[in-house]
Amino acid sequence: MWLRILGKGKVQQRAIAQLSSLATDDPLRIIALELLYQLQSNLVTDTEQELQPEERELIMAIPSLFREQLEAAQQQGIEQGIEQGRQAQQRLILENFLQVRFGEINSKMTALLSPISKLPAAEFTMLLLAISMLTVDEPGKQQAVRLLAENVLRIRQNELGNILPAALTNLLAMPVEQLTLFVEQLPQLSADELRARLE
């Protein structure tokens, strides 16, 4: 494609059309646009030589491709910002709810807050409802930690299968430092690594 973009006439036009039809997050499109940007900079700044017609056409085609890429990047940034805001809000709600309910948040609860904040709204609401039904004492607090841990593991329950009960027990038995590290690494762990860490 890159060689055809550097070609002439209809060959170049078809290559540019093919490039513009690629998804905005396609790695081929992203790399080609970076190369095109560098080429355009070189062609525009090289005022001493007369540009060929195909070079002029290429320079004229590049801005619309960049505009599409920029708009897609902006939209993706907006969506990521909204999702991050939703997660931050859910974390704050859960943290405040646990403090009001139990008076303080223990270190295991704190370690489990981040993955819980990523739950879909319906599951998050069900978790809050379940915690609200617990007694306001030490056994209730321990049950809240268990509910949080269950919801963390539920995110990957398909990979845990029949070891889920043992995995929950082992997760709750981890020292706080190890639990915090595990929760941070959880999204990157393969199914085999996950099972090995929790079996």
Side-chain angles (χ1 to χ4, degrees), residues 2-198:
W2 178 243
L3 290 175
R4 288 186 290 119
I5 286 173
L6 297 176
K8 296 181 179 183
K10 294 194 182 294
V11 171
Q12 184 184 70
Q13 291 169 1
R14 282 194 298 269
I16 291 171
Q18 182 184 356
L19 178 63
S20 65
S21 69
L22 293 174
T24 54
D25 60 347
D26 189 308
L28 179 62
R29 179 185 172 122
I30 294 167
I31 291 168
L33 285 176
E34 287 175 12
L35 292 171
L36 278 173
Y37 179 73
Q38 291 172 4
L39 176 64
Q40 181 191 29
S41 298
N42 292 337
L43 291 173
V44 170
T45 56
D46 192 2
T47 55
E48 293 182 12
Q49 87 175 30
E50 182 65 28
L51 295 176
Q52 299 296 319
E54 63 272 3
E55 292 173 334
R56 280 196 199 91
E57 287 178 26
L58 182 59
I59 288 173
M60 292 172 62
I62 292 171
S64 65
L65 292 171
F66 277 112
R67 241 187 330 275
E68 288 176 20
Q69 199 70 26
L70 182 60
E71 288 169 3
Q74 287 173 336
Q75 183 61 36
Q76 183 180 9
I78 289 169
E79 290 169 4
Q80 286 176 343
I82 290 170
E83 180 59 21
Q84 288 172 350
R86 183 190 72 80
Q87 289 175 13
Q89 184 179 25
Q90 283 192 177
R91 180 187 170 107
L92 186 61
I93 288 169
L94 181 58
E95 195 171 352
N96 288 336
F97 180 73
L98 291 169
Q99 279 181 332
V100 169
R101 184 87 180 144
F102 299 109
E104 65 176 313
I105 299 178
N106 65 34
S107 51
K108 285 203 175 183
M109 286 179 173
T110 303
L112 297 168
L113 288 178
S114 287
I116 295 296
S117 67
K118 296 174 185 166
L119 288 175
E123 291 178 32
F124 182 77
T125 304
M126 293 299 292
L127 175 62
L128 289 179
L129 184 61
I131 293 172
S132 72
M133 294 181 192
L134 300 176
T135 57
V136 187
D137 53 12
E138 194 55 35
K141 188 186 284 189
Q142 294 307 313
Q143 189 60 32
V145 172
R146 186 173 185 81
L147 279 171
L148 293 173
E150 282 176 7
N151 279 274
V152 167
L153 291 181
R154 196 168 289 138
I155 296 167
R156 305 276 303 265
Q157 84 181 52
N158 290 342
E159 297 156 288
L160 291 170
N162 60 350
I163 69 156
L164 189 58
L168 178 59
T169 302
N170 293 336
L171 181 69
L172 290 170
M174 288 181 185
V176 175
E177 298 80 21
Q178 187 181 349
L179 176 63
T180 304
L181 183 62
F182 173 80
V183 167
E184 288 172 6
Q185 295 172 345
L186 184 60
Q188 291 82 34
L189 293 176
S190 69
D192 290 338
E193 290 171 330
L194 181 65
R195 291 177 71 91
R197 298 270 295 268
L198 292 174

